[in-house]
Amino acid sequence: MSDAPDPERARAALRRAADEYERVREAVEEAGGESAVRQTTGAYRRFRRLLADNEESATGSGFQEYIQFQEAVASATEELDESMPAYEAFEAADDAVHVNRLSASDFENAREALDPAREYADLLVEWEAAGELLRETRREAGDRLDALDDEIETAERLLELGEADLGAPVEQLRDPIERYNEGVLADFERLKREASARDLFGVIESADSYPLVEFRDPPTRMREYVESDPVGEEPVKTLLEYADYSAEKLGHYVDNPGDLNRFVATNQTYLANLDASPLTVAYPPPEAGELEYECKEYIAVCNRFADEETLAALREVRSLPSETEYERLREAAESLETLTDEERDRLQAGEVEPQLEACRTERAALEETLDATPEP
């Protein structure tokens, strides 16, 4: 379990963000509501932009620029709703620049006249910042809940593993599984070395009927080539050797060197990596029902190429749930394979259970606080 942060930190951050959000929300409501605040802020920013964009040209000697600016300000003022908060500020700003000859001081007076509207713009910035803070704090709280879920799951699993009988004779499971796995891997390598590529692809194709046997199917064009060309009678190991030959040398072994290069040489990685891994049994093994079903499918595929010794080992693996104290041995095997020295020390020291309870307590309190926190 990772070093946990202060269990109150996430809840305290939520409460602070919620308090700030509620404080600003009340201020927004007192100012006429979010819609009114946004309307006033939009008008304020448009007026400020008009002043900034036109100050230099409208205070110069250009009469046309002066007229265009006066018209733009008048039009902006006429478009405003008179019931909008701080409407008088915009009228005052309009009056400040409606003089016969504009100077920089007139523009400064207009900006000062807009100060009541600026308060709404500042309030909107606060409102948006409070909403973003609350959203971010809620996200962080959600991340903390996810982390607590992971820690709880890990602790529960540790306690479960810690209950296993670590002195159980797990070799009763390990030995037959190792014998089978070694046998099926060797038998498949022999298949690649001695059987035709066509027959090997037939084994892989037969596995498609068994969902627990997850061979990667051969590339379609290579499979079609192997099925139709005489070279498909050669073993996969031979095809891999051919793929490394020069075109001149390859011509002594196959009728169409170009086809082999096109369909086999381009798929050497697939052929080289092809092995019986999809037919091996994991250790520690799965639960009894899954193991029995898995072995049933493996037997159906292995019957096509494995020798009797390998098949006998597979049948022994399949019988483990009925011939041994399977769950006791499996739990012991999983504990021995899974637990680290540090985890064993923590279990022996009795640290896991109180940490689990602390995580559960923190999670319940944080979830309650999160549920009570508004969504912006």
Side-chain angles (χ1 to χ4, degrees):
M1 199 176 300
S2 63
D3 294 335
D6 178 0
E8 284 298 311
R9 188 179 70 179
R11 295 179 66 205
L14 276 174
R15 287 192 290 265
R16 287 194 300 271
D19 288 347
E20 174 65 6
Y21 182 79
E22 287 300 322
R23 181 190 71 79
V24 181
R25 185 189 64 77
E26 290 176 5
V28 169
E29 290 301 316
E30 290 174 3
E34 182 177 353
S35 177
V37 170
R38 288 191 179 277
Q39 183 184 23
T40 303
T41 298
Y44 169 75
R45 290 172 178 170
R46 286 193 297 275
F47 264 77
R48 290 283 301 193
R49 191 159 51 248
L50 271 174
L51 295 174
D53 291 347
N54 292 275
E55 181 171 1
E56 183 176 349
S57 60
T59 56
S61 58
F63 181 71
Q64 185 64 32
E65 289 81 358
Y66 168 83
I67 294 299
Q68 289 175 346
F69 172 64
Q70 296 285 354
E71 290 176 348
V73 172
S75 175
T77 305
E78 290 171 2
E79 290 175 359
L80 299 179
D81 186 341
E82 294 184 11
S83 64
M84 182 180 69
Y87 174 77
E88 296 79 5
F90 298 103
E91 284 190 318
D94 188 347
D95 291 341
V97 293
H98 271 85
V99 295
N100 291 331
R101 184 175 179 82
L102 284 168
S103 66
S105 62
D106 297 319
F107 277 81
E108 186 59 32
N109 291 336
R111 292 187 183 96
E112 291 179 2
L114 287 173
D115 279 349
R118 179 175 56 80
E119 294 179 5
Y120 289 84
D122 291 344
L123 181 57
L124 181 61
V125 171
E126 280 192 75
W127 174 239
E128 291 176 341
E132 180 54 34
L133 174 63
L134 185 55
R135 279 188 291 272
E136 179 60 26
T137 307
R138 286 180 60 87
R139 280 194 295 270
E140 290 175 354
D143 291 342
R144 180 59 186 154
L145 286 176
D146 290 341
L148 287 168
D149 286 339
D150 290 342
E151 294 191 25
I152 289 169
E153 182 180 356
T154 298
E156 289 174 341
R157 185 60 180 145
L158 279 179
L159 290 173
E160 183 180 337
L161 291 170
E163 293 175 357
D165 178 6
L166 301 184
V170 295
E171 65 274 5
Q172 294 179 15
L173 303 184
R174 185 183 60 241
D175 292 352
I177 289 174
E178 287 183 353
R179 280 198 304 275
Y180 163 68
N181 286 344
E182 291 171 2
V184 75
L185 288 168
D187 291 348
F188 196 87
E189 281 302 306
R190 186 181 67 250
L191 188 69
K192 289 178 68 175
R193 189 172 58 252
E194 299 177 1
S196 71
R198 199 171 295 160
D199 287 345
L200 184 143
F201 286 178
V203 171
I204 295 173
E205 184 179 358
S206 73
D208 289 343
S209 301
Y210 304 98
L212 297 182
V213 185
E214 298 181 350
F215 276 112
R216 180 186 162 201
D217 289 334
T220 302
R221 297 184 69 189
M222 181 174 66
R223 177 177 53 78
E224 292 172 349
Y225 170 66
V226 165
E227 289 176 354
S228 61
D229 193 279
V231 79
E233 292 297 327
E234 299 288 350
V236 164
K237 292 289 187 181
T238 301
L239 295 185
L240 285 170
E241 292 175 7
Y242 285 171
D244 289 331
Y245 289 174
S246 66
E248 181 180 355
K249 182 177 180 180
L250 188 56
H252 297 295
Y253 296 93
V254 299
D255 295 333
N256 298 296
D259 286 348
L260 188 134
N261 280 322
R262 189 159 50 250
F263 301 125
V264 176
T266 56
N267 291 295
Q268 289 184 75
T269 301
Y270 170 82
L271 293 173
N273 293 338
L274 192 59
D275 63 17
S277 295
L279 291 165
T280 55
V281 175
Y283 183 82
E287 294 182 358
E290 183 179 346
L291 177 69
E292 291 171 344
Y293 195 80
E294 189 177 83
C295 289
K296 179 181 177 181
E297 293 197 354
Y298 290 0
I299 287 172
V301 178
C302 287
N303 274 332
R304 295 177 60 98
F305 71 92
D307 64 22
E308 182 51 42
E309 186 176 351
T310 300
L311 291 171
L314 180 52
R315 287 192 291 269
E316 183 179 355
V317 172
R318 183 180 60 178
S319 70
L320 288 174
S322 60
E323 298 295 330
T324 66
E325 295 181 83
Y326 186 74
E327 284 307 315
R328 170 175 166 254
L329 296 175
R330 190 179 76 85
E331 289 175 3
E334 190 163 355
S335 294
L336 291 168
E337 292 292 321
T338 303
L339 289 175
T340 64
D341 291 341
E342 179 187 358
E343 289 169 338
R344 289 195 184 95
D345 291 344
R346 290 177 53 222
L347 284 166
Q348 291 173 356
E351 297 175 356
V352 178
E353 192 162 355
Q355 288 178 343
L356 172 60
E357 290 307 311
C359 285
R360 286 172 172 166
T361 300
E362 180 185 348
R363 194 198 186 288
L366 179 55
E367 187 171 41
E368 181 180 3
T369 302
L370 184 60
D371 288 343
T373 302
E375 294 190 27

